[in-house]
């Protein structure tokens, strides 16, 4: 069944857990209608003047597409900065080359459609702060503390002995 989202029914609300300079508004009508897509996630976003969409990031397992519906914003990618205007469409591939961030440098709101694939999980990396986010749990780790595969695994015989001796 098709679900129609009428423009006059839009309800932009500030996205939760945001901080100064990253205050973005998302149309909650999809959630209100009970639409919870499995593989194609979409949100209508409003980026107010002087705000950034999110920290600069890329996805390891998701592709993303922005369609600027009104206003304009500056896009940051590995290639540098570029102004996006109403009607512009931009595709972000998986991996480092798809890194992106929007900033609204204008006095007008910028409204854009954010569409992304979702396979049930994703890993997002944040190059400016060396963080990694794991979705859907939204656990965040500092990449600087990366461990080797067998770190902490050298006492395996003792662990097995402990388990075997629990029943005695």
């Amino acid at each position: 069944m098709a679900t129609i989202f009428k423009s006059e029914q839009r309800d932009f609300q500030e996205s939760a857990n945001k901080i100064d300079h990253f205050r973005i508004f998302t149309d909650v009508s999809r959630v209100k209608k009970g639409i919870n897509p499995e593989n194609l996630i979409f949100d209508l976003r409003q980026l107010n003047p002087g705000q950034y969409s999110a920290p600069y990031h890329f996805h390891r397992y998701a592709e993303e597409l922005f369609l600027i519906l009104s206003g304009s914003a500056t896009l940051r990618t590995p290639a540098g900065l570029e102004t996006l205007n109403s009607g512009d469409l931009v595709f972000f591939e998986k991996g480092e080359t798809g890194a992106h961030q929007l900033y609204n440098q204008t006095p007008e709101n910028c409204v854009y459609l954010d569409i992304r694939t979702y396979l049930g999980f994703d890993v997002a990396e944040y190059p400016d702060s060396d963080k990694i986010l794991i979705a859907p749990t939204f656990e965040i780790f500092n990449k600087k503390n990366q461990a080797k595969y067998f770190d902490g695994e050298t006492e395996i015989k003792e662990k097995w002995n402990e388990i075997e001796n629990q029943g005695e």
Side-chain angles (χ1 to χ4, degrees):
M1 178 169 125
T3 303
I4 299 171
F5 299 90
K6 293 286 195 176
S7 60
E8 63 270 9
Q9 296 172 336
R10 292 208 170 88
D11 183 8
F12 285 101
Q13 293 184 12
E14 186 174 344
S15 298
N17 302 319
K18 299 297 180 180
I19 63 170
D20 286 343
H21 306 294
F22 293 96
R23 304 220 182 266
I24 192 167
F25 289 75
T26 301
D27 177 21
V28 297
S29 60
R30 174 175 62 85
V31 175
K32 284 183 174 180
K33 290 183 182 242
I35 304 301
N36 189 21
E38 289 182 41
N39 302 114
L40 184 66
I41 308 300
F42 58 94
D43 288 298
L44 196 58
R45 310 256 193 214
Q46 179 178 296
L47 190 59
N48 292 341
Q51 298 297 309
Y52 296 86
S53 58
Y56 184 65
H57 69 284
F58 64 89
H59 302 269
R60 288 189 184 173
Y61 301 101
E63 297 171 319
E64 199 163 9
L65 184 77
F66 290 172
L67 173 60
I68 308 299
L69 299 173
S70 65
S72 67
T74 301
L75 173 67
R76 176 185 172 195
T77 68
L81 303 176
E82 183 158 343
T83 300
L84 300 177
N85 295 301
S86 180
D88 288 347
L89 183 67
V90 59
F91 170 73
F92 307 104
E93 64 271 5
K94 296 184 282 187
E96 292 180 45
T97 56
H100 58 278
Q101 180 182 45
L102 283 179
Y103 173 65
N104 186 349
Q105 78 292 356
T106 75
E108 305 295 323
N109 292 338
C110 175
V111 176
Y112 65 98
L113 181 61
D114 177 355
I115 303 170
R116 56 209 175 275
T117 58
Y118 185 68
L119 305 173
F121 66 92
D122 190 19
V123 175
E125 289 195 37
Y126 299 83
D128 290 346
S129 56
D130 281 331
K131 293 186 306 254
I132 294 176
L133 179 145
I134 298 173
T137 60
F138 287 92
E139 296 170 89
I140 300 172
F141 299 94
N142 188 311
K143 198 173 171 183
K144 291 177 187 172
N145 296 328
Q146 196 169 7
K148 294 184 177 167
Y149 185 71
F150 285 107
D151 284 357
E153 304 295 337
T154 57
E155 307 296 323
I156 189 64
K157 281 196 167 285
E158 289 80 359
K159 183 54 118 175
W160 274 75
N161 287 335
E162 182 183 309
I163 294 168
E164 287 174 345
N165 293 329
Q166 282 179 353
E168 295 177 4

